[in-house]
Amino acid sequence: MDLEQAGALLGAAFDEARQTDLLIEDEVIFGRDQDHLRVFISSKMDGSLDTERKATHQVVSALEGHRAWWWEGDAPAGALHSEHICIGYAKSSDGLVLLIGGAISPIIYAEYQAARDGGAQRYVFIRDDSTLPDDVSEFIQAERTGEVVTRNFQNVAELRTHLHQSLIASLIRASRREILDRRNRQASKRGGRRS
Amino acid sequence: MTNLDRLRRDDPHLGLGLGWNLDPDWPSQLLSALRDAISDHDEARLVGFAKLGVELCREDHVAMASAIAQLLLVTLNPEVNGPIRERAATPSDVVKAVSAQESQPEPLPVSVDLLAGTIADAIGMIEQAADLNWRAGHGFDALTDSTSAGSAYQAAGSAWLWLERADQSARASAAAVERFREAGDSRRETEALLTYAEAAIELGELSRAEGFVSRVGELVPDIRSTHLNAVWRRTKARIEIELGRDEDAHLLLMQALRGSRKSGDRELEVVVLHDLAILAESAKGPKHAARWWCKALARAEESGLTARELDIARGASWNATEVDGLDEAIAILERVTERHSESRPRPVYERAHADLGALLLARATRQLSQSGRSSADPSFEQGDEALKTSLGEFVTDGDTEWAGRAARNLKRSWRLQGKQCEGTDWLRSAGFGNRESPAANGLLIEAAMLGIGCPEQAEWSESWLRSQPAQLHGEGFAMELARESYTLDSRDLLQDTDSSLKLMRLACDVAEADAYWGYGDLVNDLGVRLTSANLSDEAEAAFSRAIDIAEQQENRALKSLALANLAELHSRQSETDIARQLFVQSAELAEAVGDLDQAIASWAGTTRIDLKDNPSRAAETTRRIIDLASRGTSPEARATALSAQASTAYVRGSYAKAFTHWHRAASLSSRNRGEYLAFALDALARRQDRERFERELEHILPGMGRDTETIDFCNRVLRAAYAWASAGETDAAGLTVAASAALAGATLTSTQPSTDAQSLFIRSMAALHAGELVVNELDDGGSAVAEAVDRHVRELIGDEPAEALRWILRWANSDSDIDADPDPTVLN
């Protein structure tokens, strides 16, 4: 007997064993058609969080397989802020990063709700020096569940570390299954007619 | 000849007699008339033949269209020599020859460009089709022929859309819309607007797309075309899909499907069926979508739409992986790639082929995990071959994205098979390096990443990666290296501690040189890798560096993480005072930034230390952990909190409570499930609850795979063997060791032999040794436990596998370098 034969015999005894190493198998399967995971950046657009938005875009874009959707870069040039389009994109994103530095507008709530309905991973980052109205504090409290990453930050460096850790931990591998759903939305592009 | 009925029955201008298209020998008639026109140097007639060629091509007479194009080309350019002048060329050679010509803004050359573009589209040379039609569009513009220019631009826009080059498609479609509007052709304007809308959707410009669709909505009622009405609804549906309004999208697609059937447009019907399959999969799940995939695939096949069929087959195989399993998914792609192995339309054929390769590799990986190395080999070889072939084609076509996918899958395959050297060599010597294209350069990066794990290639790999200017790859290059490092330190079949470490060092060097904003995070990650490699001094230096950076940046989040890692390092070295102090600092900072998961992990570190020396303080901290866990944390953090509670209960002798907590922790954890299950069993052993112990073990064993979780279980469960033995339950101790050994043996044989201390192979060996040490210690000169182990192994897995395990144990014992897990009894 050699190790191969012994392994085959022993392996046969565990034929009923649970499928293992799904991660590598999934990596291979999903590597077939890996559309980028879209991470939607949501926050007030009054200029108060511009630096944080840029930093978030930078961190998300640096991760292989991730693409940040943000108004500054992805909305059509010259178009006015279109609520239903933002909400639509939030709903069909894989992740949503919500940056909070004070009050939250109804459209931001709507984007967040849409992302939640669409099954996106959600990350809520709150700037330390923010004065939060009651509704925002209550919202954060309600969302502080195991499903949502909530962290405070006092500067951009902290925000970047939070993003780096959160995205690596929860998106790189754990979300492979979710790519399937997202892929289908993206894949309809291949339906484009040629004549 | 049925399609010829649509053509004009006579064309005296071209010299074709009445009813020429009904004559069985029409090709000879046509070519004879063409030769006459060539002899007469009659440019207007030649232009007419080029237009007729376009019509013939659209009616599937590609060979005749190609012959016309070839004759016109050699007439146009006397300098064209070689095979194209000497004999009948293939349509693809004709397309290449026309593409190689300089553009001329004269009627005949522009018409030949359009004809060649149409032929290219028909034979799947989509890139050439786009370029030739774009060139023809410019030519017609110069000749002030708006309608013909619009048609050419429209064809270019559609081709680029197919190639997923939305910006180019938008540019061409915009030009088409403008030309048709100038010409007052609202029907063609509508068609162009719909292509433009598709491109805008691709570009994420939904407002713009909605504007075009709305304009089409104004034009469609007057045009009264069922076909265009159906395309319009299909495009509207796409916008609804992008906005997540699935029900509206479904309704529109069903209307479009009816419209396509009514107008007899098979291609549109197939496209809409494809959309419905995709939508159903996304909105209602794979099972519901399966019937749409079947319909779409069958209709595409019946209709002879090869490119569509290949594309749909890819989606159908995705669906099959979910609904019917890998074998069926592979069968779908095998069937379709075999059927079209002659024509191989680009790029869809190679994509389907590459997908087939990936699925074969996935099946090989599954077999590797389930049954060990030997059974996996055929699928690996088949998958490798498929991917190598496709990879070459992707590089030739400059398809960077797909070349990258194929290369990454090959890289995984070679790593799983231990063929890092062979793989690196293949990627380097296949000639890709000599081709100046981003796709080829991307492959060299993959080769270098793979080569890090090959002793003969490591030096080249490292120096090549270091020589890459970071700006060439954007600021994500350091992260790309880091990501590769994470992959190789995931404690699975790909574990390669040494390579992981080298890559993370490189990532840090690149990040530092490039003043990358993530440098501090990467240095912290480097420390984790150094800890795995047991390089404690270097790990300490890395964590200290990360702490310095964190302090400079006033980054509490990074400091908390680095402090926890440093604490863990000191804890392993039994420097408990320092470790505890660092854990406390880390936990407080984590709480300050609202990272409750990290806070729980760090506080749990202090309880682990306090359990031995200060149980009351451990109990107090545990209460704090429970409070934090109740504020909304991840399942993993809740599992850590439960484990801390279990440990406190265990130390107090409350084994029933400890069992319950660990059992619940195991159900929440994906990272430490094996460990928690083993601790739960140990608690039962302490309670001497043999019945429950056996019931739980019976439940746990079939659920264990060949992974790091299993090895954690194999090591930790040996504690229960000591508990049983100390209670005089020799047989139960034997059962425990038997379960550990059988699982560890199965895991050992599922992986490649390796000397990496963190590899599953070596850790399985260590677990087997640990089991034997327990038996030797417990038997203390007798053989009661050894006999019990032997008996229980046979009962658990049967006689033949038990014999195989005995052989494996003898084989493992012949290697004296393998030590047991250093500390199989650490709590939490």
Side-chain angles (χ1 to χ4, degrees):
Chain A
M1 192 180 295
D2 61 18
L3 191 58
E4 293 281 326
Q5 291 166 328
L9 277 169
L10 194 53
F14 283 87
D15 272 350
E16 298 303 315
R18 181 175 59 86
Q19 169 53 45
T20 62
D21 248 314
L22 281 170
L23 290 178
I24 302 174
E25 190 185 317
D26 283 354
E27 291 270 335
V28 174
I29 291 176
F30 289 106
R32 292 167 61 195
D33 197 9
Q34 188 181 328
D35 282 310
H36 285 80
L37 295 176
R38 187 164 72 204
V39 180
F40 187 96
I41 303 173
S42 174
S43 76
K44 256 170 82 170
M45 298 280 291
D46 60 357
S48 61
L49 286 162
D50 279 1
T51 311
E52 288 82 354
R53 289 175 66 83
K54 276 182 199 152
T56 304
H57 184 268
Q58 212 175 19
V59 177
V60 172
S61 306
L63 288 173
E64 188 192 336
H66 290 64
R67 183 178 292 149
W69 194 97
W70 63 335
W71 185 255
E72 296 87 326
D74 298 305
L80 293 174
H81 195 273
S82 170
E83 182 174 338
H84 82 281
I85 285 182
C86 280
I87 292 169
Y89 269 114
K91 188 173 180 185
S92 56
S93 289
D94 305 277
L96 176 138
V97 174
L98 172 57
L99 302 167
I100 298 179
I104 296 181
S105 65
I107 188 175
I108 295 174
Y109 277 124
E111 284 167 358
Y112 187 87
Q113 182 67 43
R116 183 165 57 191
D117 292 347
Q121 300 261 12
R122 282 156 287 145
Y123 310 87
V124 179
F125 300 116
I126 308 125
R127 198 165 62 191
D128 267 353
D129 60 2
S130 315
T131 308
L132 302 180
D134 288 348
D135 67 302
V136 177
S137 300
E138 283 164 20
F139 164 77
I140 294 168
Q141 192 57 37
E143 289 304 307
R144 213 179 262 281
T145 67
E147 286 180 12
V148 182
V149 171
T150 47
R151 305 274 188 272
N152 307 325
F153 65 93
Q154 64 183 2
N155 53 38
V156 168
E158 279 189 4
L159 175 63
R160 282 176 176 148
T161 293
H162 285 322
L163 279 162
H164 177 86
Q165 294 297 328
S166 310
L167 292 174
I168 283 177
S170 66
L171 271 179
I172 281 185
R173 287 195 133 185
S175 294
R176 287 289 179 242
R177 288 273 160 201
E178 289 179 19
I179 294 174
L180 192 60
D181 288 342
R182 300 299 157 217
R183 184 192 66 86
N184 288 328
R185 292 187 191 286
Q186 301 292 328
S188 63
K189 66 189 170 193
R190 291 193 301 271
R193 303 202 74 222
R194 291 197 289 121
S195 57
Chain B
M1 231 211 309
T2 51
N3 292 331
L4 282 180
D5 294 349
R6 297 190 200 176
L7 300 182
R8 283 166 294 180
R9 288 174 184 272
D10 66 318
D11 198 331
H13 169 66
L14 295 181
L16 290 163
L18 182 67
W20 70 272
N21 52 331
L22 301 176
D23 186 334
D25 196 28
W26 66 270
S28 302
Q29 272 200 48
L30 196 152
L31 290 176
S32 168
L34 174 57
R35 285 196 186 98
D36 288 347
I38 292 170
S39 305
D40 296 346
H41 304 286
D42 186 340
E43 190 177 19
R45 270 161 67 198
L46 293 178
V47 169
F49 274 104
K51 286 181 181 169
L52 180 59
V54 170
E55 288 180 56
L56 284 166
C57 191
R58 287 184 182 148
E59 297 301 334
D60 290 338
H61 293 286
V62 178
M64 182 50 68
S66 174
I68 295 172
Q70 186 180 358
L71 285 168
L72 293 175
L73 173 65
V74 295
T75 305
L76 261 174
N77 192 343
E79 288 171 14
V80 170
N81 285 314
I84 202 86
R85 182 174 291 278
E86 290 156 10
R87 56 181 169 268
T90 62
S92 68
D93 286 340
V94 171
V95 167
K96 285 176 197 163
V98 175
S99 297
Q101 301 298 303
E102 292 286 322
S103 65
Q104 296 174 55
E106 301 290 336
L108 185 56
V110 172
S111 300
V112 171
D113 279 349
L114 184 71
L115 172 57
T118 311
I119 294 167
D121 189 84
I123 61 174
M125 294 172 74
I126 311 298
E127 191 158 349
Q128 289 85 346
D131 292 340
L132 283 164
N133 278 302
W134 180 247
R135 195 163 90 181
H138 283 300
F140 286 123
D141 272 343
L143 299 170
T144 64
D145 179 351
S146 293
T147 304
S148 299
S151 299
Y153 286 134
Q154 164 69 354
S158 296
W160 273 320
L161 190 64
W162 178 259
L163 292 168
E164 299 172 16
R165 294 187 198 161
D167 49 349
Q168 286 168 288
S169 174
R171 200 153 39 108
S173 304
V177 168
E178 203 178 303
R179 300 303 178 279
F180 289 132
R181 198 170 290 166
E182 276 167 23
D185 187 339
S186 57
R187 183 189 176 95
R188 306 297 304 278
E189 182 190 344
T190 302
E191 287 175 354
L193 276 166
L194 288 167
T195 308
Y196 200 176
E198 292 260 3
I201 294 169
E202 292 309 308
L203 292 166
E205 298 175 356
L206 293 191
S207 291
R208 192 181 293 250
E210 281 188 321
F212 299 145
V213 164
S214 149
R215 168 76 183 134
V216 171
E218 291 164 13
L219 295 171
V220 152
D222 292 334
I223 296 168
R224 293 173 182 272
S225 159
T226 313
H227 165 75
L228 282 178
N229 195 297
V231 178
W232 171 53
R233 288 176 194 283
R234 189 251 165 190
T235 311
K236 275 172 78 171
R238 283 212 52 206
I239 296 173
E240 299 299 328
I241 291 172
E242 287 294 320
L243 294 172
R245 295 196 287 248
D246 297 337
E247 285 179 18
D248 294 341
H250 181 77
L251 197 67
L252 284 161
L253 286 174
M254 289 306 292
Q255 289 168 350
L257 184 63
R258 281 194 291 274
S260 68
R261 284 173 176 166
K262 203 169 157 187
S263 64
D265 185 335
R266 285 184 180 186
E267 182 167 13
L268 180 61
E269 183 187 350
V270 169
V271 166
V272 175
L273 283 168
H274 189 187
D275 288 340
L276 281 162
I278 289 167
L279 180 63
E281 184 119 18
S282 169
K284 296 189 173 175
K287 279 188 183 168
H288 188 91
R291 71 188 175 98
W292 288 113
W293 284 115
C294 280
K295 278 185 188 181
L297 189 56
R299 200 77 187 108
E301 190 184 336
E302 283 163 20
S303 308
L305 298 164
T306 308
R308 296 273 174 214
E309 186 191 347
L310 283 157
D311 203 23
I312 292 168
R314 291 183 50 234
S317 81
W318 267 94
N319 177 266
T321 57
E322 294 291 307
V323 179
D324 303 309
L326 269 179
D327 289 342
E328 178 54 28
I330 288 168
I332 289 172
L333 288 175
E334 276 176 343
R335 275 197 300 271
V336 79
T337 49
E338 270 171 34
R339 195 161 45 243
H340 301 297
S341 59
E342 292 296 318
S343 59
R344 302 172 85 98
R346 290 170 190 264
V348 279
Y349 179 85
E350 290 309 334
R351 290 181 180 183
H353 197 239
D355 272 0
L356 173 62
L359 285 179
L360 287 163
L361 291 184
R363 183 162 72 186
T365 307
R366 176 174 294 182
Q367 286 169 345
L368 188 71
S369 299
Q370 281 181 333
S371 315
R373 292 189 302 277
S374 53
S375 63
D377 292 343
S379 286
F380 269 128
E381 280 174 22
Q382 292 162 7
D384 285 358
E385 284 312 310
L387 283 167
K388 279 181 184 174
T389 309
S390 296
L391 183 54
E393 300 296 334
F394 293 140
V395 174
T396 304
D397 290 351
D399 190 340
T400 310
E401 192 178 345
W402 275 81
R405 286 178 193 176
R408 283 191 289 277
N409 273 332
L410 273 170
K411 193 174 64 181
R412 288 186 192 100
S413 168
W414 285 325
R415 280 190 176 135
L416 285 168
Q417 297 176 79
K419 292 180 176 174
Q420 286 90 337
C421 294
E422 192 181 317
T424 310
D425 207 37
W426 187 85
L427 284 170
R428 287 186 67 189
S429 61
F432 300 132
N434 298 329
R435 300 180 200 178
E436 288 177 10
S437 75
N441 193 58
L443 292 193
L444 277 180
I445 293 183
E446 300 301 343
M449 299 249 207
L450 184 66
I452 285 279
C454 164
E456 295 86 43
Q457 302 272 9
E459 198 180 325
W460 167 80
S461 293
E462 202 168 329
S463 76
W464 193 87
L465 287 170
R466 277 187 197 284
S467 71
Q468 290 303 292
Q471 63 271 22
L472 253 188
H473 307 283
E475 58 185 352
F477 189 49
M479 274 308 301
E480 204 174 324
L481 294 165
R483 163 84 193 266
E484 194 77 0
S485 170
Y486 302 136
T487 303
L488 297 178
D489 193 27
S490 359
R491 299 215 164 185
D492 52 24
L493 297 174
L494 294 175
Q495 180 70 37
D496 180 351
T497 308
D498 187 45
S499 298
S500 172
L501 188 54
K502 280 182 187 165
L503 285 162
M504 191 55 84
R505 282 189 209 273
L506 271 170
C508 286
D509 290 349
V510 169
E512 188 178 23
D514 206 32
Y516 178 57
W517 43 263
Y519 177 53
D521 293 298
L522 294 182
V523 170
N524 179 50
D525 289 342
L526 173 63
V528 173
R529 251 112 235 127
L530 288 163
T531 306
S532 291
N534 294 321
L535 296 168
S536 305
D537 290 345
E538 280 188 76
E540 187 173 347
F543 293 135
S544 300
R545 175 83 183 113
I547 290 166
D548 286 346
I549 295 167
E551 285 174 349
Q552 284 162 23
Q553 297 177 338
E554 298 183 14
N555 183 344
R556 297 164 300 172
L558 174 59
K559 189 172 176 184
S560 168
L561 290 166
L563 283 168
N565 289 329
L566 189 57
E568 195 64 51
L569 193 64
H570 284 292
S571 180
R572 286 185 188 198
Q573 293 163 346
S574 302
E575 295 163 355
T576 50
D577 286 348
I578 306 173
R580 190 178 188 289
Q581 208 179 339
L582 294 168
F583 272 132
V584 170
Q585 282 182 51
S586 164
E588 286 172 350
L589 283 170
E591 284 192 41
V593 294
D595 187 351
L596 301 186
D597 287 14
Q598 182 57 47
I600 286 172
S602 295
W603 286 124
T606 70
T607 60
R608 224 162 46 215
I609 293 166
D610 288 340
L611 276 172
K612 290 173 186 160
D613 309 324
N614 194 340
S616 63
R617 190 161 65 182
E620 194 183 321
T621 311
T622 301
R623 282 192 287 279
R624 183 170 188 157
I625 290 172
I626 295 165
D627 175 52
L628 288 172
S630 71
R631 291 191 217 163
T633 49
S634 69
E636 204 62 55
R638 292 204 295 280
T640 306
L642 281 164
S643 181
Q645 275 182 277
S647 299
T648 313
Y650 184 93
V651 168
R652 283 203 314 268
S654 303
Y655 299 122
K657 198 174 269 183
F659 167 77
T660 307
H661 289 324
W662 270 319
H663 202 264
R664 278 182 57 204
S667 69
L668 287 171
S669 175
S670 54
R671 201 185 302 155
N672 301 311
R673 180 172 167 269
E675 187 176 288
Y676 294 149
L677 285 172
F679 290 158
L681 286 176
D682 179 42
L684 288 178
R686 294 277 169 182
R687 286 194 77 203
Q688 297 178 35
D689 187 346
R690 172 84 184 254
E691 193 188 329
R692 182 74 190 267
F693 182 90
E694 285 191 17
R695 206 166 60 232
E696 289 296 328
L697 194 60
E698 203 175 317
H699 181 69
I700 290 166
L701 289 184
M704 284 289 175
R706 324 278 192 271
D707 53 19
T708 187
E709 172 192 289
T710 298
I711 296 306
D712 285 341
F713 175 83
C714 293
N715 277 312
R716 311 294 187 210
V717 82
L718 293 174
R719 267 176 23 145
Y722 283 108
W724 284 122
S726 64
E729 294 266 10
T730 310
D731 187 66
L735 169 64
T736 312
V737 177
S740 170
L743 280 173
T747 305
L748 171 87
T749 54
S750 74
T751 63
Q752 290 293 327
S754 165
T755 53
D756 184 337
Q758 299 301 323
S759 69
L760 273 177
F761 180 81
I762 291 293
R763 297 186 74 222
S764 305
M765 289 271 275
L768 284 172
H769 281 294
E772 292 206 303
L773 287 174
V774 171
V775 173
N776 290 339
E777 202 174 315
L778 294 180
D779 274 344
D780 197 20
S783 60
V785 178
E787 280 168 12
V789 170
D790 200 46
R791 179 164 34 81
H792 281 298
V793 166
R794 285 200 307 275
E795 284 170 11
L796 285 171
I797 58 176
D799 288 343
E800 223 177 347
E803 179 54 39
L805 180 61
R806 273 196 291 276
W807 187 93
I808 287 166
L809 283 165
R810 283 197 298 277
W811 180 85
N813 281 328
S814 66
D815 186 342
S816 57
D817 293 336
I818 310 302
D819 295 326
D821 193 307
D823 181 12
T825 57
V826 175
L827 293 175
N828 287 334

